[in-house]
Amino acid sequence: MKTDKETGKLFYRLEEVSRITGLEPKVIEAWEKDFPFLHAGQTGNGHKIFRQKDLDIILRSRNS
Protein backbone atom coordinates (compact mmCIF):
# COMPACT_ATOMS: atom_id res chain seq x y z
CA MET A 1 0.00 0.00 0.00
CA LYS A 2 1.32 3.42 -0.93
CA THR A 3 1.77 6.11 1.68
CA ASP A 4 0.17 9.52 1.19
CA LYS A 5 3.56 10.98 0.27
CA GLU A 6 4.01 8.42 -2.49
CA THR A 7 0.58 9.17 -3.93
CA GLY A 8 1.55 12.82 -4.35
CA LYS A 9 -1.37 14.12 -2.31
CA LEU A 10 -0.97 17.85 -1.72
CA PHE A 11 -3.79 18.69 0.69
CA TYR A 12 -5.39 16.94 3.65
CA ARG A 13 -8.67 17.71 5.39
CA LEU A 14 -8.58 18.21 9.15
CA GLU A 15 -10.19 14.81 9.69
CA GLU A 16 -7.46 13.12 7.63
CA VAL A 17 -4.70 14.90 9.56
CA SER A 18 -6.36 13.81 12.80
CA ARG A 19 -6.50 10.17 11.64
CA ILE A 20 -2.90 10.15 10.36
CA THR A 21 -1.42 11.83 13.45
CA GLY A 22 -3.64 10.27 16.10
CA LEU A 23 -4.44 13.71 17.48
CA GLU A 24 -7.91 15.09 18.13
CA PRO A 25 -9.02 17.81 15.68
CA LYS A 26 -9.32 20.32 18.55
CA VAL A 27 -5.63 19.73 19.42
CA ILE A 28 -4.59 20.37 15.81
CA GLU A 29 -6.67 23.55 15.72
CA ALA A 30 -5.08 24.71 18.99
CA TRP A 31 -1.60 24.07 17.58
CA GLU A 32 -2.54 26.06 14.49
CA LYS A 33 -3.29 29.05 16.74
CA ASP A 34 -0.14 28.56 18.84
CA PHE A 35 2.33 27.94 15.99
CA PRO A 36 2.42 30.65 13.30
CA PHE A 37 4.21 28.33 10.83
CA LEU A 38 1.12 26.09 10.52
CA HIS A 39 -1.15 27.46 7.80
CA ALA A 40 -4.48 25.73 7.29
CA GLY A 41 -6.49 26.87 4.33
CA GLN A 42 -10.18 26.47 3.71
CA THR A 43 -12.17 24.89 0.93
CA GLY A 44 -15.16 26.60 -0.63
CA ASN A 45 -17.33 24.59 1.78
CA GLY A 46 -15.41 25.89 4.80
CA HIS A 47 -13.48 22.68 5.54
CA LYS A 48 -9.95 23.15 6.85
CA ILE A 49 -7.19 21.78 4.64
CA PHE A 50 -3.52 21.34 5.42
CA ARG A 51 -0.56 21.07 3.07
CA GLN A 52 1.85 18.13 3.14
CA LYS A 53 4.38 20.50 4.73
CA ASP A 54 1.95 21.22 7.60
CA LEU A 55 1.27 17.51 8.10
CA ASP A 56 5.02 16.87 8.32
CA ILE A 57 5.38 19.63 10.94
CA ILE A 58 2.51 18.21 13.00
CA LEU A 59 3.98 14.71 12.84
CA ARG A 60 7.41 15.96 13.95
CA SER A 61 5.90 18.04 16.77
CA ARG A 62 3.80 15.13 17.99
CA ASN A 63 6.88 12.88 18.16
CA SER A 64 8.98 15.43 20.07
Side-chain angles (χ1 to χ4, degrees):
M1 183 173 169
K2 289 186 176 184
T3 65
D4 290 331
K5 248 186 180 175
E6 291 172 336
T7 62
K9 191 168 184 175
L10 299 176
F11 297 101
Y12 300 85
R13 290 181 55 179
L14 177 59
E15 294 80 13
E16 291 177 292
V17 174
S18 175
R19 179 182 47 80
I20 293 167
T21 62
L23 296 170
E24 293 289 326
K26 62 184 176 184
V27 172
I28 297 167
E29 289 176 328
W31 284 10
E32 181 188 359
K33 291 175 185 172
D34 291 342
F35 303 124
F37 44 83
L38 286 177
H39 301 287
Q42 284 197 338
T43 65
N45 294 335
H47 297 285
K48 284 192 178 211
I49 55 173
F50 293 84
R51 300 169 294 178
Q52 178 66 52
K53 173 182 165 183
D54 296 316
L55 176 59
D56 293 340
I57 291 169
I58 292 168
L59 286 168
R60 280 194 310 266
S61 298
R62 182 199 64 168
N63 293 330
S64 295

